[in-house]
């Protein structure tokens, strides 16, 4: 654990500052976010920050803790998830094969479009930057252990699940109370994390037991921010199977770390769901998930055009339809797409991973 915090503290502070949205000048100075700064007095040196105006100072972790109002663990996780550093495996069976992930930052692929939040925002309810803090705090208020166990059951190792900040709702009322301490009800409602019940009282969008997946943005103002949340019903036949933010936001792409790092004109697996994308990544393939054909807007296709797309769809009628429609539209727009044919008896990407683990004699 000591080693984990050391590695987090060693992430270049200028990159952490940038991920926090601090504009650092060439002389490594910036306007201090902690006091009304007009002449840049925040300096970076020796991987620490120091303000000559208000005397705030500290490590990259301190910077995140102060700006995002997070605890040590949450702030470390905030950095870790963006720079692919995961906490050590605490005695899980997967320990022997837990990977040493290099502390390489996510690639910069910032496309600033004037007047637009991102290159990948299809029309629909607009995601405002003010919501990013709400999503982040929501994730910070949710426990992870139950979600990690759920994903381990699907062959996704503990460190991957932790790195993607996947959570479970255990006490919706407590989360709502925690959010209300920090944000106005109006903001919570418009962000889609909270909705109104029939009697008009506010409630968290997801009930007890739901697994929550945060989506990390890649481009423009969204880069490195949590831009969307999807809940998954933990019951195998639970209805609905998925529940997203309330209010009908457009569904963004779910980028895996390898997917974000995939070179343009490189291979990218286009999956039908998050767990399939995480499974593909676990098998070594860069992947991205699109949440259904309806989410595959022209804007999203344009984001994907630079890649050689391999469509990994479920082997059922709906999956077949998705693969056909997606590859058709991608090719129509001048892109490259092929459909992955899963072996007989394998119904989706996650099952493929599970069978692979089985063949290796299991992970445990
Ligand atoms: Zn200051």
């Amino acid at each position: 654990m000591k080693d984990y915090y050391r590695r987090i503290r060693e992430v270049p502070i200028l990159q952490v500052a940038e991920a926090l949205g601090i504009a650092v000048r060439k002389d490594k100075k910036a306007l201090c976010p902690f006091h009304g700064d007009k002449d840049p007095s925040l300096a970076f040196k020796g991987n620490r920050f120091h303000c000559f105006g208000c005397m705030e100072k500290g490590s990259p972790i301190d910077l995140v803790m102060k700006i995002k109002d997070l605890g040590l663990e949450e702030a470390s996780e905030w950095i870790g998830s963006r720079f692919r550093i995961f906490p050590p495996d605490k005695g899980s069976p997967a320990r022997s094969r837990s990977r040493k992930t290099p502390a390489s930052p996510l690639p910069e692929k910032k496309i600033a479009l004037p007047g637009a939040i991102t290159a990948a925002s299809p029309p629909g309810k607009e995601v405002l930057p003010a919501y990013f803090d709400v999503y982040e705090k929501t994730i910070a208020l949710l426990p992870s252990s139950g979600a990690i166990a759920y994903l381990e059951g699907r062959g996704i190792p503990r460190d991957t699940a932790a790195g993607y900040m996947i959570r479970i709702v255990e006490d919706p009322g407590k989360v709502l109370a925690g959010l209300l301490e920090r944000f106005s009800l109006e903001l919570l409602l418009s962000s889609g994390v909270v909705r109104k019940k029939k009697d008009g009282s506010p409630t968290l969008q997801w009930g007890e037991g739901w697994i929550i997946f945060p989506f990390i943005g890649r481009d423009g103002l969204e880069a490195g921010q949590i831009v969307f949340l999807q809940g998954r019903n933990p019951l195998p036949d639970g209805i609905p199977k998925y529940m997203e933010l309330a209010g009908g936001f457009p569904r963004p792409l779910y980028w895996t770390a390898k997917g974000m790092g995939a070179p343009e004109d490189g291979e990218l697996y286009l999956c039908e769901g998050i767990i399939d994308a995480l499974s593909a990544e676990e098998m070594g393939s860069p992947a991205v998930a699109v949440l259904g054909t309806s989410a595959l807007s022209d804007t999203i296709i344009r984001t994907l055009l630079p890649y050689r797309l391999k469509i990994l769809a479920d082997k059922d009628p709906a999956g077949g339809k998705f693969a056909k429609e997606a590859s058709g539209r991608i090719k129509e727009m001048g892109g490259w797409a092929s459909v992955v044919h899963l072996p007989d008896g394998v119904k989706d990407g996650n099952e493929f991973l599970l069978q692979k683990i089985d063949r290796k004699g299991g992970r445990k």
Side-chain angles (χ1 to χ4, degrees), residues 52-97:
F52 295 97
C54 65
M55 298 301 162
E56 283 282 3
K57 59 176 194 280
S59 70
I61 300 180
D62 297 319
L63 190 61
V64 173
M65 283 172 70
K66 284 178 178 147
I67 289 186
K68 293 287 180 183
D69 189 22
L70 298 172
L72 171 68
E73 244 175 81
E74 295 165 357
S76 303
E77 204 174 57
W78 191 96
I79 297 174
S81 68
R82 285 159 179 82
F83 295 88
R84 320 317 309 164
I85 301 166
F86 301 121
D89 216 332
K90 288 178 212 148
S92 97
R95 175 176 230 155
S96 58
R97 57 179 306 286

Side-chain angles (χ1 to χ4, degrees), residues 6-67:
R6 180 185 57 74
R7 288 173 62 209
I8 296 277
R9 263 192 297 272
E10 282 173 358
V11 172
I13 196 163
L14 293 180
Q15 290 177 22
V16 173
E18 192 184 322
L20 286 164
I22 299 173
V24 184
R25 301 190 315 194
K26 275 203 183 116
D27 63 358
K28 295 189 185 171
K29 282 191 174 167
L31 287 173
C32 175
F34 306 112
H35 76 278
D37 201 6
K38 291 199 182 71
D39 184 31
S41 45
L42 188 71
F44 299 92
K45 202 183 164 192
N47 220 37
R48 295 176 65 81
F49 71 94
H50 181 100
C51 175
F52 295 97
C54 65
M55 298 301 162
E56 283 282 3
K57 59 176 194 280
S59 70
I61 300 180
D62 297 319
L63 190 61
V64 173
M65 283 172 70
K66 284 178 178 147
I67 289 186

